[in-house]
Amino acid sequence: MNRNERFLEVAKKTNMTDAEFASKIRTTRQQFSNWKNNGVDVPAKYLVRVIEEFPEVNARWLITGTHGEETEKIKSFEEYKADFEQSFKEIIALKDRIIEDKELIISMLRDKK
């Protein structure tokens, strides 16, 4: 995957329209379309803007295609949301177990009296 392809992958994963993404990195929709459809190289200053506007994007991956440790590239909003929801469910389950344990302890203490 080349630098333009990585740039376009980031744009796609934001779930923004081309015009919204272009605006976010301070360029025109027409220029973005040129990069997307005509294979024109994305200037480095726009890669920097992507990194500034989307801090979750791995800068090394965007520029070179490597991570150093070859970890995942970027996550879409939906992937972050799914991870968050799973973590939240696990926290709720732990909270429920703690409450059950406390109720059991209280019950045992009452029975001792």
Side-chain angles (χ1 to χ4, degrees):
M1 180 180 292
N2 67 36
R3 191 169 74 178
N4 274 27
E5 291 168 333
R6 290 187 299 275
F7 172 85
L8 294 172
E9 182 176 337
V10 170
K12 180 179 177 183
K13 290 215 174 200
T14 66
N15 292 322
M16 294 179 169
T17 66
D18 290 356
E20 290 169 333
F21 187 80
S23 176
K24 187 80 171 172
I25 63 168
R26 300 181 302 282
T27 192
T28 64
R29 185 199 55 76
Q30 293 82 4
Q31 183 60 58
F32 180 84
S33 180
N34 216 15
W35 299 328
K36 184 176 181 180
N37 300 319
N38 299 330
V40 175
D41 285 341
V42 178
K45 73 178 182 179
Y46 294 103
L47 298 175
V48 170
R49 289 178 184 172
V50 166
I51 293 163
E52 290 171 346
E53 294 296 330
F54 303 96
E56 67 275 13
V57 173
N58 183 306
R60 178 176 289 174
W61 171 78
L62 181 61
I63 294 167
T64 68
T66 66
H67 292 277
E69 297 179 11
E70 289 303 317
T71 58
E72 64 187 297
K73 292 177 219 135
I74 60 171
K75 289 185 177 183
S76 68
F77 173 78
E78 288 78 16
E79 291 168 320
Y80 278 112
K81 182 179 174 189
D83 289 349
F84 174 81
E85 288 173 346
Q86 180 60 36
S87 296
F88 188 75
K89 286 177 185 177
E90 291 170 6
I91 290 168
I92 295 298
L94 285 170
K95 177 196 68 93
D96 290 344
R97 276 188 266 167
I98 290 169
I99 290 171
E100 289 171 7
D101 289 349
K102 283 183 176 182
E103 289 172 349
L104 179 62
I105 291 168
I106 291 169
S107 175
M108 292 171 64
L109 291 171
R110 283 187 183 145
D111 291 344
K112 276 189 160 183
K113 290 182 180 180

